[in-house]
Amino acid sequence: MAVIDLANPTRFLKLVERVLPWLALATAVTLAIGLQQSLAAPDDYQQGATVKIMFIHVPNAWLAMFVWGVMSLSALGTLVWRHPLADVSAQAAAPLGAAFTFLALVTGSLWGRPMWGTYWEWDARMTSVLVLFVMYLGLIALWRAVEDPARAARAAAILTLVGAINLPIIKFSVDWWNTLHQPASVLRAGGPALDNAFLIPLLTMGVAFSLLFVTLHLAAMRNEILRRRIRSLRMMQAAQGAA
Amino acid sequence: MSALAALLRRDIRVALRVGGGALIGMLFFLTVVVLMPFALGPDLALLRRLGPAILWLGAMLASLLTLDRLFLADSEDGSLDLLVMSRTPLELTCATKAVAHWLTAGVPLIVITPALGLLLNLDLLATAAVALTLIAGTPALTFTGMIGAALAVTLHRGGLLLAVIVVPLSIPVLIFGVAASTAAITGPLSFGTPFSILCALSLASFVIGPFAAAACLRQRMD
Amino acid sequence: MRGGREVFCGLDFAVSAGTALAVTGRNGAGKTSLLRLIAGLLPAADGKVVLHGGEGELTLAEQAHYLGHRDALKPALTVMENLLFFRDFPGGTMSDPETALNAVGLNAIAHLPAAYLSAGQRRRLSIARLLVLRRPLWLLDEPTAALDAAGQTAFAGLMAHHLAEGGLIVAATHGPLGIPATTLHIGPAIEAVP
Amino acid sequence: MFGPYATFIVGSYAVVAGVIGALIVWVAWDHRRQTATLRELEASGVTRRSARGKTAAP
């Protein structure tokens, strides 16, 4: 029932209207707690105070991939079920994903400078995130290139799915490329066994950023629905205005 | 004057709105630069040495890629007829279109150059040098490329033909652009000489480009 | 000449102020080529087109409006933005864009992107281009194509007004124009194989 | 406060705050603009569904 209800954009708008303030509040509270925890977290014995960058870097990097997942699901919705909200969701998610990927890159770069002495290293992980960023931008360019959102949606959905299949391959090949060229990578973020002192603030920040994404995504979807509504109203106005 | 302002305004608006391609060139530039380490290997010392050349190649290819729509779009929708029948001299019209194109396609390339310089491990001075040479050199790319764009309209064929026509014309710009940036980074030659030549090339193209393009458009047969 | 082929030759005609010339002929007879030739968009193999009594320093093309098959609209720009470009760029005596849009009945949707317009509305916007900038000679290629009956009547009124002000019209057409006009029939090209 | 790396830490937090802030402002501004336009359209008499008569364009 719930899913069918949501299929109607008007009902969806009403739901968003109701849920959004609470989501925003939850985001703000979690973010405040997370920030407080991050500030209170001790320095790492190896990385010193720079470990604090991890608390914002890792959630962004995680979201960078998660958002592509959301877009892939939406793409399936567009192609298979032709769900009216699926392409709205995909379109609204793309700029958010690009922003999170950008932040992951920038914070990673600012973390790398004091740790490795360089802002950028063509390390396998960073390189794949950069490729992901380029793919996000390409997707946004595709959305922008076509005036009619319904037509753009199908093209973008296909590209998103192809990207989803390709991303692991890209990651894999970049790993290979990197080990071929540059054995014994010295770059290791954090460590496998993360102390609770770091793990708890990290998880809190992870939750906070996820909530932030959900909030922004719903708000952006609402804007997109309104924009499309305006578009169709204007088309009607054009048809009537000639009389 | 207001006629040219109207043309400038229109071209910039069309480029920036949905369906315009102002940012595609920037994205292409980024893609080319990201591609290079995969081919050359992630060796930072090597990338630093090749950095200016990579950035210049990327910028050149990106500006080429966006150039083919310069007159072709107007030709397809019939507004080129209007431009030709205008009381504004066709040379000025061409120059204005080139300026609009440079503002929407060339300037973004220069804006992201610092970020790309970071990826190629260029230091601040080197990045600044490349950006400066791009500011001086990309107008030359646009104004010589315009000739090719006008020819492409004459022959009803854009894309690769345009690249084949324009690339040889742009070789001097590439040579002196890279020479000036390398001179600024490593020496031993002075930065001033190649940079002056680059500026001279740009200035010359301001004169030659519009006249040649206008001549091509006048020759156009339908 | 089109594609190296002689399209027509031995054509000699005159249009005087306040009159219209309807160019007829079957498809491929060269109606469009004739209009483009007058507009200076095609070179004439031989002979010339002269406008007497216009503004002396300007070429014929600079005193003519050419309304071709393609409507020269940018879909990303609004109706008004398109029209303002048509007014500001080509050069001539400008007039009020609102009035021009009113005359073709597009004033209600001036703020919409041209991409939303139907074929007939795009045609109307092209016609508004003739009104927003005053040039004595109108070269019209199938001007009433895509217009509905009401639109055709309205356009005939606009053409009559233009003629009354001393303008000239050369129109390539299949159907009736709705205004008194001399007819020039272009026959099949003379098969002059050298 | 954060030792020798203060610039990098503060810098990265500032960048994140800046970009996220810009996203929030953009979404809010976009919402305000779209609702305003929608209201304007509805005020000018264009309504959804109801007026979907066949006022066929020429």
Side-chain angles (χ1 to χ4, degrees):
Chain A
M1 274 308 276
V3 180
I4 297 168
D5 278 357
L6 285 181
N8 180 335
T10 310
R11 292 224 182 101
F12 177 80
L13 280 183
K14 276 198 188 114
L15 181 86
V16 170
E17 217 65 57
R18 248 199 341 259
V19 168
L20 212 53
W22 296 105
L23 266 176
L25 188 69
T27 309
V29 170
T30 333
L31 200 60
I33 298 173
L35 280 173
Q36 192 272 330
Q37 282 176 346
S38 322
L39 271 179
D43 288 0
D44 186 63
Y45 72 99
Q46 264 184 328
Q47 311 211 352
T50 58
V51 76
K52 294 206 187 317
I53 297 180
M54 178 181 76
F55 300 132
I56 49 172
H57 170 69
V58 174
N60 275 310
W62 184 72
L63 273 179
M65 287 174 283
F66 177 74
V67 175
W68 198 282
V70 170
M71 290 196 319
S72 306
L73 278 181
S74 308
L76 275 180
T78 302
L79 291 177
V80 181
W81 298 291
R82 302 182 176 238
H83 196 287
L85 284 174
D87 35 326
V88 173
S89 158
Q91 189 177 7
L96 300 178
F100 289 126
T101 316
F102 174 74
L103 286 178
L105 285 170
V106 171
T107 50
S109 179
L110 284 169
W111 195 6
R113 174 69 193 181
M115 286 299 99
W116 320 320
T118 166
Y119 282 108
W120 187 260
E121 178 77 50
W122 289 90
D123 152 70
R125 187 179 290 194
M126 298 171 79
T127 309
S128 3
V129 176
L130 183 60
V131 173
L132 181 66
F133 182 56
V134 172
M135 286 175 62
Y136 269 119
L137 293 185
L139 199 59
I140 295 173
L142 180 62
W143 274 112
R144 274 187 58 85
V146 186
E147 209 267 335
D148 179 7
R151 272 197 312 138
R154 303 190 68 73
I158 292 168
L159 182 65
T160 310
L161 286 181
V162 171
I165 297 166
N166 245 341
L167 276 174
I169 301 176
I170 293 170
K171 173 86 177 80
F172 182 68
S173 55
V174 166
D175 277 338
W176 263 88
W177 165 76
N178 202 267
T179 44
L180 283 175
H181 287 289
Q182 193 189 18
S185 174
V186 285
L187 322 169
R188 240 167 42 112
L194 207 56
D195 194 87
N196 266 350
F198 302 120
L199 192 61
I200 291 169
L202 181 60
L203 286 179
T204 320
M205 287 300 263
V207 173
F209 271 86
S210 307
L211 279 172
L212 178 71
F213 165 68
V214 174
T215 314
L216 285 175
H217 189 210
L218 286 180
M221 278 176 76
R222 178 178 64 174
N223 291 348
E224 199 48 49
I225 292 172
L226 292 181
R227 203 193 319 279
R228 290 180 183 197
R229 205 165 266 187
I230 289 170
R231 202 184 108 87
S232 63
L233 279 178
R234 286 200 166 144
M235 303 276 276
M236 277 165 49
Q237 199 185 11
Q240 291 167 0
Chain B
M1 223 42 224
S2 76
L4 293 182
L7 179 63
L8 193 70
R9 216 163 35 229
R10 177 188 81 143
D11 271 23
I12 290 177
R13 272 187 189 146
V14 167
L16 294 183
R17 295 220 175 135
V18 172
L23 300 175
I24 304 276
M26 208 157 106
L27 188 53
F28 183 77
F29 190 18
L30 174 66
T31 316
V32 169
V33 171
V34 170
L35 211 57
M36 284 300 170
F38 292 116
L40 299 171
D43 180 1
L44 283 183
L46 179 73
L47 287 177
R48 183 204 293 268
R49 209 169 66 243
L50 296 179
I54 295 174
L55 287 176
W56 257 94
L57 260 181
M60 193 172 144
L61 292 177
S63 75
L64 258 183
L65 185 83
T66 48
L67 261 172
D68 75 320
R69 300 298 297 164
L70 185 59
F71 293 115
L72 210 56
D74 278 346
S75 165
E76 279 164 4
D77 67 17
S79 31
L80 192 58
D81 295 340
L82 237 86
L83 299 186
V84 173
M85 288 173 70
S86 158
R87 292 184 189 175
T88 312
L90 195 53
E91 288 78 10
L92 281 179
T93 305
C94 289
T96 309
K97 281 190 75 70
V99 169
H101 184 269
W102 183 73
L103 287 176
T104 52
V107 171
L109 299 184
I110 299 164
V111 170
I112 57 159
T113 302
L116 299 181
L118 213 64
L119 292 181
L120 296 171
N121 199 30
L122 294 181
D123 54 33
L124 208 62
L125 173 74
T127 313
V130 174
L132 193 63
T133 53
L134 281 180
I135 292 176
T138 41
L141 291 180
T142 309
F143 273 78
T144 46
M146 175 170 63
I147 306 170
L151 274 172
V153 168
T154 318
L155 306 169
H156 295 290
R157 203 167 267 139
L160 283 177
L161 181 71
L162 174 81
V164 173
I165 295 171
V166 171
V167 165
L169 296 177
S170 324
I171 287 175
V173 182
L174 185 66
I175 290 176
F176 290 105
V178 176
S181 353
T182 347
I185 300 161
T186 52
L189 290 162
S190 76
F191 172 72
T193 319
F195 188 71
S196 316
I197 299 178
L198 190 65
C199 293
L201 283 175
S202 271
L203 290 176
S205 73
F206 287 155
V207 181
I208 299 167
F211 279 94
C216 289
L217 291 180
R218 287 213 178 89
Q219 288 301 311
R220 177 179 80 105
M221 300 257 211
D222 263 348
Chain C
M1 300 280 274
R2 184 172 63 204
R5 179 172 67 92
E6 198 158 69
V7 178
F8 42 71
C9 66
L11 219 53
D12 188 5
F13 61 90
V15 190
S16 48
T19 61
L21 179 75
V23 183
T24 58
R26 60 174 176 81
N27 289 337
K31 299 190 293 292
T32 298
S33 299
L34 178 63
L35 288 183
R36 293 184 69 82
L37 192 148
I38 300 174
L41 298 169
L42 275 183
D46 191 20
K48 56 181 173 180
V49 189
V50 187
L51 179 70
H52 295 288
E55 288 176 63
E57 288 168 17
L58 298 172
T59 64
L60 182 71
E62 287 167 355
Q63 302 180 56
H65 270 304
Y66 173 62
L67 189 68
H69 292 293
R70 293 168 296 183
D71 42 31
L73 299 180
K74 293 290 175 195
L77 301 184
T78 66
V79 169
M80 189 51 114
E81 282 168 345
N82 269 302
L83 189 65
L84 284 180
F85 174 70
F86 295 143
R87 183 193 67 168
D88 294 340
F89 185 71
T93 317
M94 299 178 188
S95 66
D96 181 33
E98 306 274 351
T99 324
L101 281 183
N102 255 326
V104 296
L106 288 180
N107 49 321
I109 53 172
H111 60 288
L112 295 185
Y116 294 179
L117 300 190
S118 68
Q121 287 171 326
R122 296 169 72 91
R123 200 66 187 171
R124 285 157 185 258
L125 183 48
S126 297
I127 291 169
R129 164 157 76 87
L130 307 176
L131 306 176
V132 82
L133 195 67
R134 177 142 180 76
R135 284 182 163 193
L137 174 59
W138 287 6
L139 301 167
L140 312 172
D141 198 350
E142 309 278 356
T144 50
L147 285 184
D148 55 11
Q152 293 190 10
T153 320
F155 183 50
L158 294 174
M159 284 194 291
H161 185 244
H162 177 65
L163 292 178
E165 282 187 340
L168 301 93
I169 292 178
V170 178
T173 178
H174 287 295
L177 276 176
I179 48 165
T182 1
T183 305
L184 172 74
H185 186 80
I186 309 184
I190 297 156
E191 309 290 331
V193 186
Chain D
M1 179 177 183
F2 303 117
Y5 307 127
T7 22
F8 296 103
I9 297 169
V10 174
S12 53
Y13 274 76
V15 170
V16 172
V19 172
I20 299 287
L23 272 183
I24 292 172
V25 168
W26 171 67
V27 166
W29 172 78
D30 197 24
H31 179 63
R32 189 169 295 179
R33 208 179 46 151
Q34 302 303 334
T35 37
T37 322
L38 200 59
R39 210 166 289 147
E40 213 171 86
L41 272 173
E42 271 160 9
S44 73
V46 192
T47 40
R48 296 190 335 120
R49 291 180 231 282
S50 55
R52 201 163 278 178
K54 293 277 175 279
T55 339

